Amino acid sequence: DLGALSVDADVLQLLGELTGVLIWIGGFETVEVWFAAAKLQGHPASLLGLGMYTEQTLLAGTMLMAGLAAVVTWDNIFPDRRDVMVLGALPVKPRTILVAKLAAAGTLLGVGVLALNFGIGVVLPLIAGPGWKFPRVLASYWFTVGCAALFVYGAVLAVQGITAALLPQRWFLRLSAVLQLAAFALFLSVWLFQPEFSSVATMRHWQETGELMRWPMFWFLGLFGKLSGVFPVVPEELAHRAWMALLVVVLGAGASLLLCYLRTMKRTVEEPDLAPRRRGRGAPARAAPR
């Protein structure tokens, strides 16, 4: 939508439209799972397979949503020339600007996660953990989808921050567009081509072949199974890798953001945005105007 890219665009209206789309997708998924679970009552194996498949679908969708949110808000968290020129002249500390931008990004990410999982985040725990198991499954579900979204968004921030800290400003701006396009293609490709399973036997087979360890979505699926205790087979390696990946991403994103705001923020003004155009060797020099 080209109107959403203009300076005078209504950001709240755009956010409301995106939230409405996510709510529609989540609501459709909730109704579908509810009727499918009603038909499978009395078949524990089929019901378990439905829960495993649904959890994979929602984790993959949540991670895709977080990745697209990171691509859409590219460079919004890192300091730019306008932040330095406007806010730098005011008695505002760099860490205050960083906290404000992180709060805005966290709000956007939280609204997306809540809108996409608002219905299925209650229905699936009711199906997987009836009775006294429901609170544990409910807390495990929301904690897992939150960690999955934070992992994807934090990975993008870590890559951006490390690149911005190592490269000059003009080279970072040139490489930023390439990284943004590559991230969009990566998230969409992973969502389209990552495998899915709906039975314990298939999960065991892929665990033995090492297929599950290659895809981050299965790491958080193992984390959900470990925390909730609803899956009969939960590879310990998946949950462990999810914890390690989340820790590395959070530390990397935090360190790169602090480095950009505390050490390289002034360099944004001192260095030009674009490199000057070089003349070829054979190009004649223009005469100075009289």
Side-chain angles (χ1 to χ4, degrees):
D1 188 359
L2 298 180
L5 301 178
S6 63
V7 179
D8 299 330
D10 190 351
V11 180
L12 294 179
Q13 181 181 358
L14 175 62
L15 183 60
E17 293 175 356
L18 294 177
T19 305
V21 172
L22 294 176
I23 290 176
W24 184 85
I25 295 175
F28 180 80
E29 185 75 18
T30 302
V31 174
E32 183 181 6
V33 171
W34 181 267
F35 281 102
K39 294 180 180 180
L40 295 177
Q41 291 296 333
H43 301 81
S46 301
L47 197 62
L48 177 61
L50 175 65
M52 297 173 69
Y53 179 79
T54 304
E55 180 65 19
Q56 295 170 72
T57 303
L58 293 172
L59 278 176
T62 302
M63 297 176 76
L64 175 64
M65 182 275 302
L68 295 182
V71 172
V72 171
T73 59
W74 193 268
D75 290 341
N76 282 2
I77 295 184
F78 292 90
D80 54 12
R81 183 178 296 271
R82 182 175 57 182
D83 295 331
V84 178
M85 297 296 294
V86 176
L87 299 178
L90 301 176
V92 179
K93 297 181 180 180
R95 63 171 177 266
T96 305
I97 304 175
L98 173 60
V99 172
K101 290 196 171 188
L102 286 178
T107 302
L108 175 63
L109 193 62
V111 168
V113 172
L114 183 62
L116 185 61
N117 299 272
F118 80 102
I120 199 66
V122 178
V123 172
L124 186 61
L126 279 174
I127 298 173
W132 60 272
K133 295 182 180 180
F134 173 74
R136 177 182 177 183
V137 179
L138 180 67
S140 302
Y141 177 87
W142 284 103
F143 179 78
T144 303
V145 294
C147 289
L150 180 62
F151 165 75
V152 176
Y153 201 92
V156 175
L157 291 182
V159 173
Q160 287 182 265
I162 294 174
T163 307
L166 296 179
L167 297 179
Q169 178 69 11
R170 58 181 181 270
W171 292 112
F172 170 72
L173 293 177
R174 288 185 173 184
L175 186 60
S176 181
V178 179
L179 292 176
Q180 187 177 9
L181 183 60
F184 175 78
L186 176 62
F187 295 140
L188 194 59
S189 300
V190 170
W191 180 73
L192 290 174
F193 297 110
Q194 63 186 355
E196 295 176 343
F197 59 85
S198 58
S199 64
V200 178
T202 307
M203 184 177 182
R204 288 176 176 173
H205 173 70
W206 284 358
Q207 177 188 358
E208 295 174 356
T209 58
E211 185 72 20
L212 300 182
M213 302 297 292
R214 303 173 185 175
W215 302 91
M217 184 266 292
F218 293 113
W219 304 348
F220 293 94
L221 180 65
L223 178 62
F224 170 73
K226 181 66 176 178
L227 295 177
S228 62
V230 296
F231 293 159
V233 178
V234 180
E236 295 287 342
E237 299 84 0
L238 295 178
H240 179 71
R241 181 162 293 193
W243 285 117
M244 292 301 298
L246 187 63
L247 179 62
V248 171
V249 163
V250 170
L251 292 179
S256 61
L257 284 172
L258 289 176
L259 183 63
C260 288
Y261 272 88
L262 299 181
R263 298 189 59 181
T264 63
M265 192 170 178
K266 295 181 179 180
R267 197 178 65 183
T268 306
V269 178
E270 297 174 355
E271 295 185 0
D273 288 342
L274 298 176
R277 185 177 180 181
R278 296 182 179 181
R279 297 178 178 179
R281 295 182 179 180
R286 295 182 179 180
R290 296 180 180 179

